[in-house]
Amino acid sequence: MALSKSLSIKIGKTITYIILVLGSVIFMLPFVWLLRSSFMELGQIFILPPEWIPKPFRWQNYPEALTAAPFLTYFLNTLKILIFNESGVVLTSIICAYSFARLRWPGRDLIFAILLTSLMLPYAVTLIPTFILWKMLGALNTFVPLTVPAWFGGGMFYIFLLRQFFLTIPYELDEAAYMDGASPLKVLWSIVVPLSKPAIITVAIFNFIGVWNDLLGPIIYLSDPDKYTLAIGLSVFRSMYTAQWHYLMAASVVVLAPVILIFFIGQRYFIQGIALTGLKG
Amino acid sequence: MNKKRSLYSSEAKWGIILALPAILGFLIWTLGPMVASFVLGFTDWNVVSTPHFIGIGNFKKMFIEDFIFKKSIYATVYYSVGSVIASIIFAFLIALLLNQKVKGLPLFRTIFYLPSITPAIASAMLWIWLFNPDFGLLNQVLQRFGLPRLLWIYDEKQVIPSLIFMSIWGMGGMMVIFLAGLQGVPQELYEAVEIDGGNWWHRFRYVTIPMMTPTIFFNLVMAIIGSFQVFTSAYIMTSGGPNYASMFYVYYIYLSAFRYGQMGYACALAIILFIIILSFTLVVFKSSPYWVYYESARRR
């Protein structure tokens, strides 16, 4: 009896690993395909059945693809947007979440609940009037529409995530600081922020990926090729080099790599952060 | 006591000041535009002319004349239902397997998660290539197994199933949330089932599923809201084709507003999208008492 039980556990484990390994291979295959194509000669890409080792190994695809379009400009534009957007999101989402989590003021929870409904609102509903607003302000074809809104709390998703985290910090710490005559800002800076680094890093990474991957925003607001971001630049590049798959794949790898890099750097926080949003939702 | 009261009054002052960015942001970028959308939806504004109030004219046009609108509703609902169900089942299954105390958990988790953070534009380019009927990887695999080749996104009937298939690749966020939920299921409950002589099915059916319903509920709501707003695959991969079969709703709004300049009509379309998403979400919320299990309700 005991033997058969341990045997069935073993069989279960084996099946689990088989499915997981098989699933992993399938999930990784598109990436492998992308990478191998990015180092191939155009001719080898089309060989059937497909080959997996580039021969010759054409690393030149990268410099050639990257100079065929002004990718450096696209990169710098993306970087500029990223810096202004990211600093706004991190700074203002922290102070707003702090207010909703740890300061008592009349109507706080009601207002928080109302603001939270914006998470349910499809962005398409606000898209057109927001565009018109920026047009009237003369901000089209600038980075302003893509950065300034970040300074207004950075979106309820981040505020919600930080608030959930701030709520877990014992309130006695704040009280002790208040007794010593500290101001709320001082409490935020010297108690809440240092204890919330994982959550803050999560927000920063989420937002990095969001800005880096954003396509619709740049498409709508940026019309001058000098202002293009990497995402929109890559889509333009595609329409110019439709059949040059080795260049398209090399450029895609370049756009993809920083996201993966950032993910690996902050992986621990990131996974925790996603879990946090789901569990307390 | 006196000190405490003064502390509280300054606390309220600071509280409102610090919350102000979020409140202003909500008014400027959510509430204001939302109200404006609802007003503009009843006008014929097309950027160049001055807007005229035309009552329900836009909605009449949508439901009576505009055949693209109908196609776009069909494509979007079809895709949403398919991708939400497929992704949830797949994400749940993988999370269950990863929760079996497997070795190399971080590696597996990373592999299944990475596709979901891939820039939409990069994954769209990659998948165009994978879907390529002549040289794409997918048809090569089908051929290897002796199956007929498909046209994938280049066929009116196959395009939505293809995009649903692609959406499973991006289920990583959901999987991580499921995994965290599974790890939070109290072990005592499993032990209790075992003491009563239950097998793995009993553990799954009477502990895992009920304890996971709040997480499933969360993922379901977020997936519905997200999938109805799919844009990039239509914009980059299919241009809404073939024959409008993948004319996703937000892409149609984008075309109406920014290609054809019909701002009033696009706002009316957005209102309908809002109503559709709201009703789907409400149905899920209303149904939740029947299947979502809350710890607090049990304690009562």
Side-chain angles (χ1 to χ4, degrees), chain A residues 146-210:
Chain A
L146 302 172
T147 50
V148 168
W151 287 83
F152 288 79
M156 279 314 285
F157 180 70
Y158 302 133
I159 295 178
F160 175 73
L161 196 152
L162 288 178
R163 175 180 171 271
Q164 297 301 98
F165 198 90
F166 290 173
L167 285 175
T168 63
I169 300 169
Y171 192 72
E172 288 75 35
L173 295 174
D174 298 30
E175 260 168 3
Y178 285 135
M179 289 304 165
D180 293 344
S183 71
L185 273 185
K186 169 94 177 152
V187 172
L188 169 64
W189 185 246
S190 56
I191 295 171
V192 177
V193 168
L195 288 174
S196 307
K197 270 186 193 142
I200 295 169
I201 293 172
T202 306
V203 166
I205 298 175
F206 266 130
N207 190 54
F208 175 93
I209 293 175

Side-chain angles (χ1 to χ4, degrees), chain A residues 157 160-161 164-165 198-199 201-203 205-206 209 263 266-281, chain B residues 109-110 112-114 116-117 171-181 215 218-219 222:
Chain A
F157 180 70
F160 175 73
L161 196 152
Q164 297 301 98
F165 198 90
I201 293 172
T202 306
V203 166
I205 298 175
F206 266 130
I209 293 175
F263 171 77
Q267 186 183 9
R268 196 158 52 93
Y269 303 115
F270 203 66
I271 298 284
Q272 268 175 17
I274 304 164
L276 192 69
T277 58
L279 284 183
K280 311 272 172 83
Chain B
R109 192 176 52 194
T110 303
F112 287 109
Y113 184 69
L114 269 188
S116 70
I117 54 164
M171 60 83 204
M174 254 191 239
M175 181 210 67
V176 173
I177 294 174
F178 276 137
L179 189 55
T215 313
F218 173 84
N219 270 339
M222 294 323 268

Side-chain angles (χ1 to χ4, degrees), chain B residues 45-72:
Chain B
W45 194 38
N46 61 5
V47 190
V48 273
S49 69
T50 48
H52 298 285
F53 184 73
I54 53 165
I56 57 164
N58 285 328
F59 300 96
K60 256 191 190 155
K61 183 181 159 196
M62 243 179 255
F63 287 100
I64 295 170
E65 296 165 31
D66 191 350
F67 80 97
I68 302 180
F69 166 75
K70 278 171 207 147
K71 286 226 165 193
S72 133

Side-chain angles (χ1 to χ4, degrees), chain A:
Chain A
M1 185 65 206
L3 191 77
S4 85
K5 195 181 175 193
S6 82
L7 188 72
S8 79
I9 288 176
K10 248 181 200 157
I11 293 172
K13 276 266 174 209
T14 315
I15 295 173
T16 301
Y17 278 109
I18 289 175
I19 299 176
L20 283 178
V21 168
L22 211 66
S24 303
V25 169
I26 294 171
F27 264 58
M28 279 295 105
L29 215 53
F31 286 127
V32 177
W33 179 265
L34 173 72
L35 207 60
R36 66 117 218 186
S37 307
S38 76
F39 286 114
M40 281 184 174
E41 259 176 0
L42 191 56
Q44 197 193 2
I45 287 183
F46 293 107
I47 292 177
L48 299 178
E51 297 185 349
W52 292 97
I53 310 294
K55 207 188 280 176
F57 193 83
R58 261 187 68 86
W59 59 269
Q60 301 94 316
N61 285 345
Y62 282 81
E64 282 169 18
L66 295 183
T67 49
F71 275 104
L72 183 64
T73 310
Y74 300 157
F75 173 72
L76 291 176
N77 290 338
T78 311
L79 207 61
K80 276 179 209 159
I81 294 173
L82 207 54
I83 290 168
F84 285 105
N85 188 300
E86 186 92 349
S87 43
V89 165
V90 171
L91 207 68
T92 59
S93 68
I94 288 176
I95 64 169
C96 292
Y98 173 66
S99 168
F100 286 118
R102 300 185 84 78
L103 298 176
R104 273 160 289 190
W105 44 280
R108 180 189 75 174
D109 293 337
L110 178 69
I111 289 182
F112 184 72
I114 294 172
L115 299 196
L116 213 54
T117 60
S118 65
L119 282 183
M120 299 280 206
L121 189 77
Y123 65 83
V125 174
T126 57
L127 186 71
I128 294 158
T130 310
F131 172 82
I132 295 164
L133 176 71
W134 289 120
K135 196 179 172 188
M136 289 193 305
L137 294 173
L140 293 192
N141 208 16
T142 68
F143 296 152
V144 172
L146 302 172
T147 50
V148 168
W151 287 83
F152 288 79
M156 279 314 285
F157 180 70
Y158 302 133
I159 295 178
F160 175 73
L161 196 152
L162 288 178
R163 175 180 171 271
Q164 297 301 98
F165 198 90
F166 290 173
L167 285 175
T168 63
I169 300 169
Y171 192 72
E172 288 75 35
L173 295 174
D174 298 30
E175 260 168 3
Y178 285 135
M179 289 304 165
D180 293 344
S183 71
L185 273 185
K186 169 94 177 152
V187 172
L188 169 64
W189 185 246
S190 56
I191 295 171
V192 177
V193 168
L195 288 174
S196 307
K197 270 186 193 142
I200 295 169
I201 293 172
T202 306
V203 166
I205 298 175
F206 266 130
N207 190 54
F208 175 93
I209 293 175
V211 173
W212 188 269
N213 294 0
D214 184 26
L215 183 65
L216 189 59
I219 285 175
I220 289 172
Y221 291 113
L222 307 174
S223 47
D224 184 355
D226 288 345
K227 299 259 166 58
Y228 281 177
T229 62
L230 275 174
I232 184 171
L234 188 59
S235 88
V236 172
F237 184 65
R238 186 203 156 221
S239 54
M240 283 158 42
Y241 292 83
T242 348
Q244 311 272 51
W245 285 105
H246 54 327
Y247 290 154
L248 291 179
M249 294 297 115
S252 297
V253 170
V254 171
V255 172
L256 173 63
V259 177
I260 293 188
L261 192 72
I262 286 284
F263 171 77
F264 275 107
I265 292 172
Q267 186 183 9
R268 196 158 52 93
Y269 303 115
F270 203 66
I271 298 284
Q272 268 175 17
I274 304 164
L276 192 69
T277 58
L279 284 183
K280 311 272 172 83

